Amino acid sequence: MDSTASTSLASLSSLWDEVFGTQPDPDLWVVIATMVAALAVIVPHGVWRVSRNAITIAHEGGHGLVALLTGRSLSGIRLHSDTSGLTVSRGKPTGLGMILTAAAGYTAPPLLGLGGAALLGAGHITLLLWVATALLIAMLVMIRNAYGALTVILTGGTFLLVSWLAGPQVQAAFAYAVVWFLLLGGVRPAFELQAKRTRGGAGDSDADQLSRLTHVPAGLWLFLFHAVSLCSLMGGGRWLLGL
């Protein structure tokens, strides 16, 4: 084996170890500080109007991923500046695949946060960043409007830059902040939907579509969204805090 091939194999081995290996947990104060930082971009309404775009990416990505997993054909995803979104898939308009696809939106951000917390709890900080980058790149292929493409490119670019250029401490802080954001930010949309429905709005929401598909009251689907987000927050929070 020549020196070039040997060097390439060594580089690949090093990259494999870096991505799939484990990294040390950050100090507890970093974990708490990233939680506070996540709350700071979730609680204030003005900031939330901007940061909610990231939750919309996860929401619509959840619709799209489950549509593909259930055998539906994904036509495209659109993300709008008012933080709304639309995922269009083709297939049978009723049945389990359509139900799971419709249910995936509000549950995707907290469940992604829970999965991310599991990876961080196991010390896989770099793997989390790479998986998130790969998912964003895959989603970009299905984006069908300029604003959506710009949002996903900026988000994916941030992950890519942190993954390649940042040091271990910065990567850890960024990863924890992202997962806290998904866990905490995944709770708020269900309450916003509940408030809209109380005022007589959001008649074509995911909960209402699920009600028409299953003949189960929309309020029960809304309860499911609440249960998934709150349970994910409790479980993921315990992993992140090392409890």
Side-chain angles (χ1 to χ4, degrees):
M1 182 181 296
D2 59 33
S3 59
T4 302
S6 179
T7 301
S8 298
L9 287 175
S11 299
L12 287 174
S13 177
S14 177
L15 180 62
W16 177 273
D17 291 339
E18 179 181 353
V19 174
F20 292 95
T22 58
Q23 295 78 40
D25 296 331
D27 295 333
L28 181 59
W29 73 265
V30 175
V31 178
I32 295 175
T34 54
M35 177 182 67
V36 173
L39 286 171
V41 297
I42 293 169
V43 175
H45 181 69
V47 182
W48 174 243
R49 290 180 62 184
V50 177
S51 63
R52 197 184 192 281
N53 282 283
I55 295 296
T56 303
I57 291 175
H59 180 115
E60 299 303 331
H63 282 313
L65 178 60
V66 173
L68 292 174
L69 291 176
T70 55
R72 299 180 62 80
S73 175
L74 184 58
S75 300
I77 298 173
R78 301 177 71 87
L79 306 173
H80 305 130
S81 58
D82 62 355
T83 72
S84 65
L86 176 66
T87 299
V88 179
S89 62
R90 297 178 180 176
K92 188 178 178 182
T94 58
L96 183 60
M98 187 63 206
I99 293 170
L100 292 175
T101 299
Y106 280 92
T107 57
L111 289 177
L112 284 172
L114 183 63
L119 285 176
L120 294 181
H124 293 293
I125 296 171
T126 303
L127 178 60
L128 168 69
L129 296 175
W130 280 59
V131 168
T133 303
L135 288 174
L136 287 165
I137 292 173
M139 184 175 180
L140 180 60
V141 176
M142 300 308 302
I143 296 294
R144 294 294 182 265
N145 67 321
Y147 181 83
L150 177 62
T151 303
V152 175
I153 288 172
L154 289 175
T155 305
T158 302
F159 274 90
L160 192 60
L161 287 174
V162 172
S163 301
W164 277 104
L165 302 179
Q169 293 181 337
V170 174
Q171 287 189 1
F174 179 76
Y176 272 77
V178 167
V179 172
W180 275 123
F181 177 77
L182 288 171
L183 290 171
L184 294 164
V187 173
R188 183 164 179 174
F191 283 98
E192 291 177 334
L193 176 58
Q194 183 176 356
K196 288 180 182 178
R197 297 191 74 256
T198 300
R199 296 192 299 267
D204 199 35
S205 69
D206 290 355
D208 293 281
Q209 292 181 40
L210 285 163
S211 178
R212 291 191 288 270
L213 286 167
T214 62
H215 305 291
V216 173
L220 289 180
W221 285 106
L222 187 56
F223 174 80
L224 173 67
F225 298 159
H226 282 307
V228 170
S229 62
L230 292 172
C231 288
S232 295
L233 174 59
M234 289 187 289
R238 289 178 61 86
W239 275 326
L240 294 179
L241 293 168
L243 303 177

